[in-house]
Amino acid sequence: MSTLCTTPARRGSRKGSLVAGALATTFLTGISLIGFPTPAHAADGNTYFKTEQEVTDFLSQSAPLNQKESVKGYPVQGQDPQEVKLDDVEAVYPHDQALQDIPSKLGSGFNLPSEITTDEPDIRRSSSNDKEPWLDNWDAKSMCGQPSHTPGGEPQPCGFVGVLDTKYPTMQTSAAVMGKAQFSYKTQATVGQDTSQTSGWSVGGKVTSQLQTPGGPGGGTAGTELSFEYSQSTTTTNKWTTMTEQNNTYDVPDGVSGWVEGRANGGKYIGYIVYKLDFTSGNGDRKQKMVLIPARVLIQAPGNSVPMTFVKRQG
């Protein structure tokens, strides 16, 4: 089943792309989610949404999200490439709260034994501040999973803790058409795992979605492609799997504009990449500290095996 939606920011840009006529073909990348309840109906029986809240309410039925999530290991996949500032994280998830959550979310490896000298928490100012001064400015990704500096110690523990920032982010949007009109689209998606992962990296992968238009005005076979990365959380029970090809048709009622959005069945979480450093210097002095680095990570819905849902929208 496909479903629909629009955001206010798109209204101005859509006006120039509205196509009048009885038939219009549009491009869309993604896959369809099958078998879920129909929350809204147009007069012609099409399922569609007019507001962001309607979309969120619909997706929450099949892909519920936790308010807090965690990732064991470095979240090498799904990280926001844009710099994340500490002030933005602190506004919704203070580091004091994160420090309390870390042991319960990521395990006892993050406990700080009282018999070891403990430095104050090392709270970084942004996601770009990921170099470790105790270890010749190694970056956090390289450090995760490395052997302990202490003989017989555990490998370098690291992970991510965060709170929900964006529900079901829009990954792809079709062109809008003005009704009365109809357009068809074909979707297919594959889910790949990163085979280059090493010890200390989190589990996740990449979604690659392909769309083809089967014909009609503007139709063709080349289609468009979308790829995005994601992480799996400590609460994941169903992994995302490859989706089969599906054909869909959308009838846009007279006098309204309609389009289709591909939504990730997951959420963006803002919080901290965290690691505990247990360090013994050359003269035998041992000390430890907790390091928190601001980050935003796309994490799949824990109990859902479908990476995307296409929703129909009207405005």
Side-chain angles (χ1 to χ4, degrees):
M1 178 188 301
S2 292
T3 340
L4 286 206
C5 40
T6 89
T7 57
R10 287 185 41 82
R11 296 185 184 277
S13 61
R14 289 200 306 272
K15 291 181 180 179
S17 61
L18 299 182
V19 180
L23 178 66
T25 303
T26 187
F27 291 91
L28 170 67
T29 300
I31 59 178
S32 295
L33 191 61
I34 305 172
F36 292 105
T38 302
H41 295 275
D44 59 2
N46 271 265
T47 305
Y48 65 90
F49 301 115
K50 291 184 177 180
T51 68
E52 180 69 17
Q53 188 61 53
E54 288 178 343
V55 177
T56 299
D57 291 345
F58 173 74
L59 292 177
S60 65
Q61 298 175 47
S62 57
L65 300 172
N66 294 321
Q67 183 59 31
K68 287 185 179 180
E69 276 292 9
S70 58
V71 173
K72 285 188 176 180
Y74 185 89
V76 66
Q77 290 134 336
Q79 273 201 66
D80 192 332
Q82 301 297 316
E83 186 177 35
V84 181
K85 301 288 189 180
L86 177 61
D87 289 346
D88 294 332
V89 185
E90 290 278 10
V92 293
Y93 193 30
H95 71 268
D96 287 341
Q97 181 61 56
L99 287 167
Q100 294 179 38
D101 293 340
I102 287 166
S104 61
K105 295 289 186 181
L106 298 177
S108 59
F110 286 86
N111 290 331
L112 298 169
S114 59
E115 65 270 17
I116 303 173
T117 301
T118 303
D119 274 22
E120 290 295 321
D122 185 353
I123 314 299
R124 306 295 172 79
R125 300 304 305 176
S126 77
S127 55
S128 62
N129 303 137
D130 68 341
K131 304 297 189 296
E132 179 47 60
W134 286 12
L135 294 176
D136 297 325
N137 287 324
W138 275 28
D139 61 83
K141 178 181 172 182
S142 300
M143 290 173 52
C144 284
Q146 292 292 327
S148 173
H149 277 69
T150 303
E154 295 293 326
Q156 178 79 48
C158 59
F160 170 82
V161 291
V163 296
L164 187 58
D165 182 49
T166 304
K167 298 179 179 179
Y168 316 112
T170 301
M171 311 311 291
Q172 182 70 26
T173 303
S174 75
V177 298
M178 176 63 76
K180 188 174 184 179
Q182 182 184 79
F183 60 83
S184 300
Y185 54 96
K186 180 189 296 184
T187 59
Q188 185 179 24
T190 58
V191 178
Q193 301 296 319
D194 188 343
T195 57
S196 67
Q197 287 182 1
T198 61
S199 176
W201 288 14
S202 69
V203 178
K206 181 172 72 172
V207 176
T208 301
S209 182
Q210 179 72 33
L211 156 61
Q212 293 182 342
T213 53
T221 59
T224 59
E225 187 175 88
L226 166 75
S227 292
F228 65 90
E229 294 183 339
Y230 67 95
S231 281
Q232 292 171 0
S233 71
T234 57
T235 61
T236 296
T237 56
N238 291 321
K239 296 181 178 180
W240 280 349
T241 57
T242 295
M243 302 300 296
T244 58
E245 180 181 286
Q246 185 170 1
N247 294 294
N248 303 278
T249 300
Y250 177 30
D251 295 311
V252 182
D254 191 22
V256 301
S257 62
W259 67 98
V260 181
E261 293 175 355
R263 297 295 192 105
N265 287 334
K268 291 184 178 180
Y269 288 80
I270 189 169
Y272 307 91
I273 293 171
V274 55
Y275 62 85
K276 186 190 79 171
L277 185 56
D278 184 345
F279 179 78
T280 302
S281 66
N283 60 13
D285 293 331
R286 186 178 178 186
K287 58 182 179 178
Q288 63 183 353
K289 68 174 178 178
M290 198 77 76
V291 180
L292 277 69
I293 304 169
R296 183 181 286 107
V297 181
L298 175 61
I299 299 176
Q300 72 168 85
N304 186 279
S305 62
V306 182
M308 288 182 70
T309 298
F310 285 101
V311 293
K312 301 177 194 172
R313 301 208 51 176
Q314 292 180 8

